[in-house]
Amino acid sequence: MEIRKSLSIFTHLLALTGYTSLLISSSPNIALLFLYLFALFASLYIDLTDRKYLLNNTFSNLLAVLLIFILGIRVFLFNEELITVLIYFIIYIQLIKFLGKKELKDYEQIILISFFQLLAGAVTTTNIFYGLLLVIFIIFAVITIFLFNIFKEQYGIRDGIKNDIKFGYKPLFSSAIIISVSVIILSLSVFLFMPRLKGNFLTSSLLNKQRLSSGFNDEIELGMVGEIKKDSSPVMRVKFLNKTKIELPKIIYWRGVALDYFDGKLWTQRFKNQKARIAKNYDGLFVLNNSNKNDVAIQEIVAQPMDTDVVFSANSPVALGNMPFRNLYSVNNSYYHGGHFTNNIKYNAYSDLTLHDKELLINDTLTYPKEIRLKYTGSFEVSSDIDELSIELYQESNSQYENVKVVEEYLKKNLKYTRVLDNSGKSPPLDQFLFEGKEGHCEYFASAMVVLLREMAIPSRLVTGFVGGEYNPIGEYYLIRESDAHAWVEVYFPTYGWVIFDPTPENDTDYYLGFNYITGSLEYLRYRWNRYVVDYNISDQRRILKNISNRSDKINFNLSSKLKPDNPQLYFLVVAVILFFLIFLIKYKDIIFSFIKVDVKNRDVSDTYRNSLAFMKKKGLNKPSYMTSNEFLKYVGSKEYRKYKEFTMITNIYNKVKFSGVEDRNMIDKIKAEYIKLKKKS
């Protein structure tokens, strides 16, 4: 295939790869997608069939100016995010390039625009397939740049193509693969060891709130959790670093927000404006409570972008570490980072997973701290029916724990879980749930329990977050989805703190079939991509460097122990190997040197020809890049510079050695002699 057509094919493949990297980062604009594909294939068809281009240069320039004007309005008048507008700009400007007349500079610009598309894709995506696109882009880019430079140096574009010969692609692809692999290895090395920049300045509103995972903030309305549960999108992936699955509780609650006030329909935090700032300790940890327990479960959490600043952790968190933000705030033992993230965040959580013994809770004292009594024991404004139900369930002879269990069991046994609610009744939502429909979402069960316990003056609160999740044995981590959203209850016991109770029947949780080998492997790749590429940070670099240092010390220790004077066998082996290579080198030196011999003749001829071109340039005869050596020789003759006949001889020898493979030493001596004569010309 001709060089020009090959360059066109790979330039368009490069552009398609760059655009695809943008597509995987957000829901595609269907109209723009079809327009882009039409322009790309139309451009390729025009190039391969030598048809007339669709846009002339004047019209293309006018479209580019109009595009800048329109996008400028979107930034300054409609306050659109600059990076979003820039992404659309590079897409539209490439469309103009596709349909316009293509000279050498236009291919160069399409290549450059494709790179910017790939860069924009890196800014806006966390998709694992971006890594594959990056490798494909590198390979296409190397081949395209090779073809571009060959086309530019030897053939060029000037009123059409002259002498556009076919090209051998086997060495081209081999070289491209070698260079691509080298680039990838070098990039990985830089990625692993170069310092990371902190901040969130490369995010884009292309990841808007409609695309962010749902979370829980400082309020929740009855029915809200049921809506969240309709989506099965991933929320976070959690790996326990010091516990196996067998050592973990059967059900794990991923705690988010604790709410203490209910107005009949909406749960809120009564003192949400009184957020307490938590400071880091000397170890870089945010210590949440002074737990004396040494056996805590350490989780490494990779959370998807969420429209909330809540920090999630298992059951009862005691500390948080390796946080990608400086500040942490607390309300009701709920924790907020106070920032806005449209990319993944990764951190460690330290949790107490203790299941409290029933006998210990039954015998616990009822002496509450003043703060707990004021915040969590006051009853809400409820109907007389709910008040009567609380009186009916409460037994003064029971301990606090026993009364809590009575309420929990009543709700589990007498009401049903459903996601389809009939809200046509006129009664308040909670009354309709308890006395009319008698079925509802998890937040209805949790709300009813807290309301009934508050009527009994038992300190309690509603908690939202997620429950369970899918365990992937390949990688040994939990995948938590939006459909795992849940609401439960925490009750305060003076000796043991806040204890989890869950009044929702067990069929609340969506049960997936689990991971088979294929789905588990694909999900594990996504986890590794998010963990070690998207969320790779300076802590990971320090850990890798520390491991390398430790291994290096170990190797040095092992070598030093083996290189002791009392180990003569090793020295004998080293001497024997050296002698063997010396003998082999002497015996087969002719064969070895034949493989590494450098073709000095060809190099000397090329250097001499280049030097003669430099001399002719000084004399006013500059060889254009699109001219071949023979065309330039004719050009010199046409200008009546026949006094430079030595240049004719130099050109003829150069062509003969280069294209026929002749390696006559006399020719090399002759071309050098002619060059000496040429330099003496005034």
Side-chain angles (χ1 to χ4, degrees), residues 22-290:
L22 286 176
L23 289 182
I24 65 174
S25 67
S26 59
S27 300
N29 182 320
I30 300 300
L32 180 58
L33 172 62
F34 279 109
L35 178 62
Y36 188 91
L37 293 177
F38 167 78
L40 184 140
F41 287 110
S43 172
L44 185 59
Y45 176 77
I46 290 169
D47 281 3
L48 297 182
T49 57
D50 298 319
R51 300 297 176 98
K52 188 177 181 181
Y53 53 87
L54 299 180
L55 302 177
N56 59 37
N57 288 335
T58 302
F59 194 59
S60 297
N61 293 334
L62 287 175
L63 281 178
V65 173
L66 181 62
L67 176 63
I68 294 173
F69 178 74
I70 293 173
L71 295 180
I73 291 176
R74 291 175 63 173
V75 173
F76 295 106
L77 293 185
F78 296 100
N79 296 319
E80 289 195 37
E81 193 174 289
L82 180 60
I83 188 171
T84 305
V85 173
L86 287 176
I87 289 173
Y88 283 118
F89 173 76
I90 60 178
I91 293 174
Y92 287 124
I93 204 71
Q94 195 172 66
L95 292 178
I96 296 173
K97 287 294 177 184
F98 281 156
L99 301 178
K101 183 178 180 181
K102 294 187 193 66
E103 298 179 349
L104 196 62
K105 63 180 179 62
D106 297 293
Y107 285 107
E108 189 175 22
Q109 290 168 2
I110 291 175
I111 294 170
L112 188 61
I113 292 170
S114 302
F115 169 74
F116 284 126
Q117 286 180 331
L118 184 80
L119 185 61
V123 170
T124 58
T125 188
T126 59
N127 197 308
I128 184 175
F129 294 107
Y130 180 83
L132 177 62
L133 285 173
L134 178 62
V135 173
I136 295 173
F137 186 91
I138 291 173
I139 295 173
F140 283 163
V142 172
I143 295 174
T144 305
I145 292 171
F146 273 168
L147 292 171
F148 177 83
N149 282 284
I150 293 170
F151 191 52
K152 178 181 178 182
E153 294 297 330
Q154 297 191 20
Y155 305 101
I157 298 179
R158 187 184 183 190
D159 300 327
I161 309 301
K162 294 183 179 181
N163 301 325
D164 194 359
I165 63 171
K166 293 184 178 180
F167 187 74
Y169 287 95
K170 187 174 180 180
L172 174 65
F173 284 112
S174 301
S175 302
I177 295 298
I178 293 172
I179 293 176
S180 300
V181 171
S182 302
V183 168
I184 291 169
I185 293 174
L186 179 62
S187 301
L188 286 174
S189 301
V190 172
F191 174 80
L192 288 173
F193 299 113
M194 285 294 287
R196 320 306 287 175
L197 294 175
K198 292 184 178 181
N200 198 39
F201 54 90
L202 285 180
T203 57
S204 169
S205 63
L206 287 180
L207 290 172
N208 52 48
K209 285 195 174 184
Q210 283 70 32
R211 295 191 62 248
L212 299 180
S213 296
S214 298
F216 299 96
N217 218 311
D218 49 15
E219 62 181 36
I220 182 170
E221 187 176 356
L222 291 182
M224 177 179 171
V225 178
E227 290 300 313
I228 295 174
K229 290 176 72 67
K230 293 179 181 179
D231 190 352
S232 61
S233 302
V235 172
M236 56 187 171
R237 295 170 174 88
V238 184
K239 184 179 180 65
F240 283 89
L241 303 181
N242 64 336
K243 298 282 185 181
T244 63
K245 188 174 185 295
I246 299 175
E247 299 174 287
L248 297 171
K250 182 180 178 181
I251 300 177
I252 300 175
Y253 292 87
W254 308 102
R255 190 180 188 281
V257 182
L259 306 169
D260 59 2
Y261 182 74
F262 183 58
D263 65 1
K265 188 175 182 180
L266 185 71
W267 279 96
T268 58
Q269 291 176 333
R270 203 167 13 171
F271 304 100
K272 62 182 179 182
N273 295 326
Q274 299 178 12
K275 288 185 177 180
R277 186 176 181 275
I278 303 173
K280 286 184 180 179
N281 66 8
Y282 291 109
D283 296 323
L285 292 177
F286 292 101
V287 178
L288 310 180
N289 63 61
N290 297 318

Side-chain angles (χ1 to χ4, degrees), residues 560-623:
S560 63
S561 64
K562 294 181 182 300
L563 293 174
K564 289 181 179 179
D566 59 353
N567 193 0
Q569 293 88 348
L570 180 63
Y571 293 102
F572 176 79
L573 179 62
V574 172
V575 172
V577 171
I578 293 173
L579 287 175
F580 172 78
F581 277 109
L582 286 175
I583 295 170
F584 182 83
L585 185 63
I586 294 171
K587 185 173 180 64
Y588 299 102
K589 63 179 180 179
D590 294 335
I591 297 175
I592 295 172
F593 289 137
S594 68
F595 285 109
I596 61 175
K597 182 171 64 175
V598 179
D599 187 4
V600 294
K601 299 179 177 64
N602 230 334
R603 185 184 63 193
D604 288 343
V605 169
S606 299
D607 289 346
T608 305
Y609 179 69
R610 267 195 301 271
N611 292 336
S612 66
L613 288 177
F615 175 81
M616 299 300 288
K617 183 178 181 180
K618 292 179 181 178
K619 299 301 180 181
L621 292 168
N622 184 29
K623 178 181 176 297

Side-chain angles (χ1 to χ4, degrees), residues 34 49 117 136 150 155 208 318 320 346 355 370 391 393 396 398 457 460 475 484 500 504 507 554 599 611 614 616 662:
F34 279 109
T49 57
Q117 286 180 331
I136 295 173
I150 293 170
Y155 305 101
N208 52 48
V318 297
L320 297 167
K346 178 172 66 69
L355 298 176
K370 181 179 179 181
I391 295 172
L393 294 176
E396 191 171 350
N398 287 349
S460 54
D484 296 318
I500 294 173
T504 307
N507 63 346
K554 185 176 180 180
D599 187 4
N611 292 336
M616 299 300 288
V662 175

Side-chain angles (χ1 to χ4, degrees), residues 371-471:
E371 180 185 358
I372 297 296
R373 190 172 62 253
L374 291 175
K375 287 185 67 173
Y376 302 108
T377 59
S379 62
F380 306 114
E381 293 184 7
V382 296
S383 67
S384 58
D385 291 335
I386 293 179
D387 190 35
E388 289 176 7
L389 178 60
S390 68
I391 295 172
E392 179 184 336
L393 294 176
Y394 180 72
Q395 298 295 322
E396 191 171 350
S397 60
N398 287 349
S399 67
Q400 173 177 300
Y401 173 79
E402 289 170 327
N403 276 317
V404 171
K405 292 300 291 183
V406 166
V407 175
E408 183 184 51
E409 292 300 318
Y410 172 84
L411 295 172
K412 281 186 175 182
K413 292 178 180 179
N414 292 279
L415 294 101
K416 295 181 180 179
Y417 176 82
T418 183
R419 293 194 183 178
V420 182
L421 289 177
D422 181 11
N423 294 321
S424 59
K426 296 182 179 180
S427 302
L430 208 55
D431 287 74
Q432 188 175 353
F433 166 67
L434 285 170
F435 308 114
E436 297 176 17
K438 294 190 175 182
E439 55 183 14
H441 302 150
C442 57
E443 68 269 36
Y444 284 86
F445 285 88
S447 299
M449 183 171 178
V450 174
V451 168
L452 290 169
L453 292 179
R454 288 290 191 93
E455 289 294 306
M456 301 175 186
I458 296 176
S460 54
R461 61 193 182 190
L462 181 139
V463 181
T464 58
F466 303 90
V467 64
E470 287 180 274
Y471 182 77

